[in-house]
Amino acid sequence: MTLETTLLPALFGLGTGLALIIAIGAQNAFVLRLGIAARVRIVALIVAICAVSDAVLIAAGVLGIGVVIEKAPIALVIIRIVGSAFLIGYGLLAARRVFRPQTLEPSTQHGSISVKTAALTALALTWLNPHVYLDTIVFLGSVANQQGAAERWWWAGGAMLGSILWFSALGFGARLLRPFFARPNSWRILDALIAVVMLALGIRMAVGF
């Protein structure tokens, strides 16, 4: 093995993976909010769910599942409908928090969400988003398969590492923002942004890509 067949493909995969996931989206907004407010063990669980989900989807793409999805577009249509409803509902809840100051006190934010609720929400935001299938399985999978037989898994490994690094930085790094979110109005700003993102993505998903 040489650098051209191991390290370089992994670095290219890392860069491509990061380029896809570092964006304002429903999943990232949820991880950010939990990172600021939730207990460490919940944040660790959500980071693991998001990273492992990405790894599974990327691996599926490398194994050629993307071809199956392209030939069965009805699957993405169903996911799009369910996912859009979920995002719009989540966005409305975030908007409701903006106009309910009593729910925005920092003391109520820490540990207020259960492990089960956090996990189910993270899974829904990941697996009910049709874009995640297009980005990971179809796009990343197709790019990985353009590499050599051995290089493709190094490339995929780099993309998976990018997901781990990003969600870890987002989830655990968000705690640095806690001084700013010691003020209830700061939570209003964050929830307003989350509401806009969720509603915009949900509506966009409902009407098509």
Side-chain angles (χ1 to χ4, degrees):
M1 291 186 181
T2 64
L3 290 179
E4 287 75 15
T5 60
T6 56
L7 183 60
L8 287 181
L11 289 176
F12 284 129
L14 174 65
T16 306
L18 286 173
L20 277 180
I21 64 175
I22 298 179
I24 297 175
Q27 189 185 50
N28 287 339
F30 178 69
V31 175
L32 175 64
R33 195 175 197 280
L34 278 189
I36 294 169
R39 296 187 297 272
V40 175
R41 69 187 185 95
I42 293 181
V43 176
L45 173 63
I46 300 312
V47 168
I49 287 174
C50 293
V52 170
S53 295
D54 274 5
V56 170
L57 290 165
I58 292 170
V62 175
L63 293 172
I65 306 300
V67 176
V68 177
I69 288 181
E70 290 179 332
K71 291 183 177 180
I74 187 63
L76 286 182
V77 172
I78 295 173
I79 292 171
R80 176 169 61 85
I81 294 172
V82 177
S84 64
F86 180 84
L87 287 177
I88 291 172
Y90 193 96
L92 291 174
L93 288 176
R96 180 172 176 265
R97 288 195 299 266
V98 175
F99 299 102
R100 294 283 299 276
Q102 65 271 24
T103 66
L104 297 170
E105 295 295 336
S107 60
T108 66
Q109 297 294 330
H110 298 270
S112 60
I113 188 171
S114 69
V115 174
K116 180 180 179 180
T117 299
L120 290 176
T121 302
L123 288 169
L125 289 173
T126 301
W127 293 90
L128 291 181
N129 180 3
H131 292 284
V132 77
Y133 295 93
L134 296 175
D135 289 344
T136 55
I137 293 183
V138 177
F139 177 71
L140 289 181
S142 63
V143 175
N145 282 314
Q146 291 175 21
Q147 317 301 315
E151 290 89 339
R152 65 176 184 167
W153 286 110
W154 285 96
W155 194 97
M160 294 175 189
L161 177 61
S163 180
I164 294 171
L165 293 176
W166 169 248
F167 286 117
S168 297
L170 187 63
F172 297 111
R175 308 182 88 79
L176 299 175
L177 298 174
R178 278 188 171 179
F180 174 73
F181 285 96
R183 300 186 296 272
N185 281 338
S186 299
W187 284 104
R188 277 184 171 160
I189 295 171
L190 177 63
D191 279 322
L193 291 174
I194 290 175
V196 170
V197 170
M198 298 290 186
L199 290 172
L201 290 176
I203 293 172
R204 179 169 177 253
M205 194 181 296
V207 300
F209 304 124

